């Protein structure tokens, strides 16, 4: 609650607000203080006088006003007051709150002095053409005929000030003590009861349903109890009319008469209660975000204070090590020892200075943030819709502005607590005069960025970074993966980049990965091990990059044909070397009885001949009546049964047995085509312009086929 006190004090007098009024710039000032800092301008009318009248000034009006109220550090105040009266040449004054106030150099005329009219008890009328300058944002306003009465009163702020002063008046007592009530230490918002510590432990234990109750300091609870009753506000222009609507364009509550014959008759208006709830919700949401920032700031302050201790401990340890090394270097090292100690001390003091300055800056900002939060919470408790809406927009902007001040970078230490210097005690005696600090530490373990690491089909992408406070140079990184079966790690990447994609991994496999950094001093520690799972199903498409130029792909590279009468080869974009895989191809078009070939191939297979003509492919070519198996231009196992439009050709590749077999329309075509298959194979097909097929990958193995024993362990994909 003490932090909120600054929000409740006038920027001019430094005391708690008394009869505060709201200026068009959304700042507040006491009514009496506003009269004291008025400056009377000439009677001549100016464009600014009509635009800067007491209330209803739009945000765009301030653009012109600000041009007329520029402030200079070298003079005593403003260049002008509302464009009419020059600034005083006397030095500026400061209010108790530290805000600079610029009174007129000459005493105000008698009619403008702060005195009550005789026998009336009220303030005298404000002279015509008076100018008022906000002491906080320095915007100048020329008052209209209504004078200060044209500014709305901030009843919400006035109520918060009254309750705050009452809460400071007397200590609160426990409501459950039978004799000699003790001073209350907490107040339960749900039970609405003040407790001392013994009664709280006895009657309100933090368990069961009571664990969810919110306990607050007694002063805060007292203020919430004293929430003012809902008041009926009247219009400042039509004193007999109650405020019932809200003008969206002017952002102010209005009455029925303002809508009938006033300047708001053509403006968009909404129900006062609905806008009250809407703005309260917006302020609450903004406060939630700001509260998170304040929590982070508190944790950050704890971190900074711990850093001070760590810097002191590390500095003492480093100095002791340095002294021990220098003492061992006898006479020639004594002169250099003093210089090195001086350098370490300077580094120590510099680190402490930077961190302490950051602590001081963050403490001030957090105090201001906490004060604003507590003030906003009190404002939200108000039941006066119009009063709340008069200040809600400004408060929401202030909360957003304060939240933005806690953005990226503000909660990051400016200095590391480590001393990344090690004394090299190996130089010869003749090089003692060149003795200096050198970097002898290996890099720290990199940090894997889990949010950027992922797997896709048979590829894995890993990303990492150095620890945020590490200042040790890094020459490169080494990425290691195991074989997907829990075997030994192997290097898959060495370089300076901090992101790497590894292709050609096995499907349905679990890989472990880790990374380490190195520099001229050696290799650092490994990062934490990351476990990644590749896709269970072998989804793939045709590979346009490696296909023959005559190949035509469509349907997201799932449908293929050719623009040549000669056979051309296209392969899949994924290779297999482990597990059992099955895929099918549907014959979409089959003209003039061609003989397309289906099978698997190495990455360097010939692309301009039928699949199976060289020793890099294993295939079955088929026409409308029969089929043959072919490898290295050797034709075997002629089998009756061909294909036509709508037929389906299946390919089953089983690495557990090292075999390849084919199916046509769900029936096995011939015996096992090939065996003793080992290594990396890619799905492949050759065809000419008379054939068009569509690929279907990631299919389950046919029911008639029984996997090998190793497949029963779960490597089918």
């Amino acid at each position: 609650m003490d932090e909120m006190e600054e929000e409740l004090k006038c920027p001019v007098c430094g005391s708690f607000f008394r009869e505060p009024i709201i200026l068009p710039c959304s700042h507040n000032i006491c009514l009496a203080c506003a009269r004291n800092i008025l400056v009377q301008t000439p009677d001549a009318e100016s464009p600014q006088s009509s635009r800067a009248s007491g209330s209803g000034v739009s945000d765009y009006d301030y653009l012109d006003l600000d041009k007329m109220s520029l402030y200079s550090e070298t003079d005593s105040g403003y260049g002008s007051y509302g464009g009419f009266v020059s600034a005083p040449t006397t030095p500026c004054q400061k209010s108790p709150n530290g805000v600079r106030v610029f009174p007129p150099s000459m005493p105000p005329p008698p009619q403008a002095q702060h005195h009550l009219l005789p026998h009336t008890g009220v303030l005298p009328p404000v002279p015509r053409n008076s100018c008022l300058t906000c002491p906080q944002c320095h915007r100048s306003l020329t008052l209209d005929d209504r004078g200060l009465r044209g500014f709305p009163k901030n009843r919400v702020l006035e109520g918060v000030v009254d309750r705050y002063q009452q809460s400071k008046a007397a200590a609160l007592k426990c409501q459950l003590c039978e004799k000699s009530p003790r001073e209350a230490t907490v107040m339960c918002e749900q039970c609405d009861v003040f407790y001392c510590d013994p009664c709280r432990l006895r009657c309100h234990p933090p368990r069961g349903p009571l664990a969810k109750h919110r306990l607050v300091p007694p002063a805060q609870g007292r203020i919430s109890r004293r929430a003012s009753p809902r008041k009926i506000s009247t219009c400042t222009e039509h004193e007999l009319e109650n405020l019932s609507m809200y003008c969206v364009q002017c952002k102010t509550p209005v009455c029925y008469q303002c809508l009938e014959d006033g300047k708001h008759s053509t403006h968009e208006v909404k129900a006062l209660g609905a806008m009250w709830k809407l703005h309260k919700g917006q302020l609450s949401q903004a406060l939630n975000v700001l509260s998170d920032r304040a929590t982070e700031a508190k944790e950050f302050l704890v971190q900074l204070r711990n850093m001070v201790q760590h810097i002191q401990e590390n500095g003492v340890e480093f100095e002791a090590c340095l002294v021990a090394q220098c003492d061992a270097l006898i006479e020639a090292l004594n002169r250099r020892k003093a210089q090195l100690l001086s350098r370490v001390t300077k580094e120590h003091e510099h680190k402490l200075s930077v961190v302490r300055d950051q602590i001081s800056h963050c403490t001030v900002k957090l105090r201001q943030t906490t004060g604003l939060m507590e003030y906003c919470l009190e404002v939200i408790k108000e039941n006066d819709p119009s009063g709340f809406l008069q200040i809600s927009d400004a408060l929401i902007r202030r909360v957003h502005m304060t939240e933005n001040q806690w953005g990226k970078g503000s909660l990051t230490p400016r200095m590391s607590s480590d001393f990344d210097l090690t004394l090299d005690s190996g130089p010869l005696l003749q090089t003692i005069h060149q003795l200096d600090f050198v970097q002898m530490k290996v890099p720290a373990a990199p940090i894997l960025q889990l949010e950027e690491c992922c797997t896709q089909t048979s590829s894995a992408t890993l990303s990492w970074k150095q620890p945020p406070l590490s200042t040790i140079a890094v020459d490169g990184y080494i990425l290691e993966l195991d074989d997907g079966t829990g075997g030994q790690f192997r290097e898959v990447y060495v370089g300076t980049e901090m992101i790497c994609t590894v292709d050609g991994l096995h499907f349905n496999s679990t890989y472990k990965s880790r990374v380490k950094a190195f520099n001229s001093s050696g290799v650092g520690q490994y990062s934490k091990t990351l476990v990644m799972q590749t896709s269970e199903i072998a989804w793939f498409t045709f590979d346009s990059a490696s296909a023959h130029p005559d190949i035509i792909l469509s349907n997201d590279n799932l449908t293929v044909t050719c623009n040549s009468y000669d056979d051309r080869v296209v392969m899949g974009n994924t290779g297999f070397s482990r597990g059992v895989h099955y895929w099918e191809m549907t014959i979409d078009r089959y003209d003039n009885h061609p003989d397309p070939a289906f099978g698997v191939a190495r990455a360097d297979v010939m692309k301009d001949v039928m699949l199976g003509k060289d020793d890099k492919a294993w295939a079955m070519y088929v026409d409308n009546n029969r089929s043959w198996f072919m490898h290295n231009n050797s034709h075997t196992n002629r089998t009756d049964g061909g294909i036509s439009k709508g037929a389906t050709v299946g390919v089953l590749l089983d690495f557990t047995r090292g075999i390849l077999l084919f199916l046509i329309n769900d029936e096995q075509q011939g015996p096992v085509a090939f065996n003793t298959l080992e290594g990396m194979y890619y799905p492949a097909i050759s065809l000419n312009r008379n054939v068009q097929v569509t690929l279907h990958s990631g299919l389950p193995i046919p029911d008639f086929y029984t996997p090998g024993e190793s497949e029963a362990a779960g490597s089918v994909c």
Side-chain angles (χ1 to χ4, degrees), residues 31-42:
L31 180 61
C33 295
R35 179 172 292 274
N36 287 337
I37 64 174
L38 283 176
V39 176
Q40 188 173 2
T41 62

Side-chain angles (χ1 to χ4, degrees), residues 437-511:
F437 288 109
V438 296
Q439 181 174 293
M440 293 289 292
K441 291 186 177 181
V442 298
I447 299 175
L448 289 170
Q449 302 191 85
L450 301 182
E451 66 278 3
E452 297 183 13
C453 297
C454 63
T455 59
Q456 184 176 9
T457 61
S458 61
S459 300
T461 299
L462 295 101
S463 176
W464 58 89
K465 64 180 180 180
Q466 278 297 106
L469 299 181
S470 177
T471 58
I472 303 175
V474 175
D475 294 339
Y477 301 92
I478 301 174
L479 175 63
E480 297 181 354
L481 264 72
D482 68 353
D483 59 0
T485 60
Q488 295 294 323
F489 282 91
R490 66 188 190 280
E491 293 184 2
V492 295
Y493 170 76
V494 178
T496 59
E497 299 294 332
M498 291 188 288
I499 186 171
C500 178
T501 297
V502 182
D503 297 320
L505 301 179
H506 298 296
F507 286 92
N508 195 27
S509 300
T510 301
Y511 286 89

